[in-house]
Amino acid sequence: QVQVVQSGGGLVQAGESMRLSCAASGRIFRINDMGWYRQAPGKQRELVAAITSGGTTNYADSVKGRFTISRDNAKNTVYLQMNSLKPEDTAVYYCNANIISSPWVGRAKDYWGQGTQVTVSS
């Protein structure tokens, strides 16, 4: 089986920085895209940032220029560096990894981290 475990999160003041990490482990043949999503109370879950296996990135307009997504393929880990945090960044952040578990199966599935609360105070 595959496990996806997040670390990081917590409470920071506006303007400060925080880094989130997400590591996949278990039965993994290949990891395709990885990404970070967030959901604030009363709002839809939104894609914050995504990165392909080759390192191509995409960002939501609201975080562009402030957040940076990266990955370490050797460690099966994706990171989200969040700078210049704003109160509107407050949300539960979820890691996602699209993973092929076995070459004999071939079909990729999305796996989700447990979520972590990020709170930015004004």
Side-chain angles (χ1 to χ4, degrees):
Q1 63 177 8
V2 174
Q3 296 179 340
V4 179
V5 179
Q6 300 177 217
S7 62
L11 175 64
V12 297
Q13 294 281 341
E16 295 181 349
S17 298
M18 179 179 292
R19 189 170 89 151
L20 306 180
S21 299
C22 175
S25 62
R27 186 182 291 268
I28 298 173
F29 175 68
R30 178 182 176 87
I31 302 179
N32 298 314
D33 293 356
M34 305 182 83
W36 291 94
Y37 295 74
R38 69 185 181 188
Q39 187 168 26
K43 297 182 179 180
Q44 296 291 321
R45 182 177 297 188
E46 65 172 340
L47 177 65
V48 177
I51 184 168
T52 69
S53 61
T56 301
T57 59
N58 287 296
Y59 298 93
D61 288 341
S62 60
V63 307
K64 197 169 297 182
R66 299 188 297 120
F67 290 11
T68 302
I69 188 171
S70 61
R71 64 190 286 172
D72 185 337
N73 290 333
K75 297 181 178 180
N76 294 331
T77 299
V78 63
Y79 307 93
L80 185 66
Q81 178 66 46
M82 303 182 291
N83 297 329
S84 302
L85 282 162
K86 304 175 180 179
E88 49 263 45
D89 294 318
T90 295
V92 177
Y93 284 70
Y94 297 91
C95 172
N96 173 269
N98 187 254
I99 296 173
I100 300 173
S101 296
S102 169
W104 308 114
V105 175
R107 297 283 190 265
K109 288 185 174 294
D110 284 340
Y111 294 86
W112 293 88
Q114 76 276 19
T116 184
Q117 177 71 45
V118 174
T119 302
V120 184
S121 62
S122 60

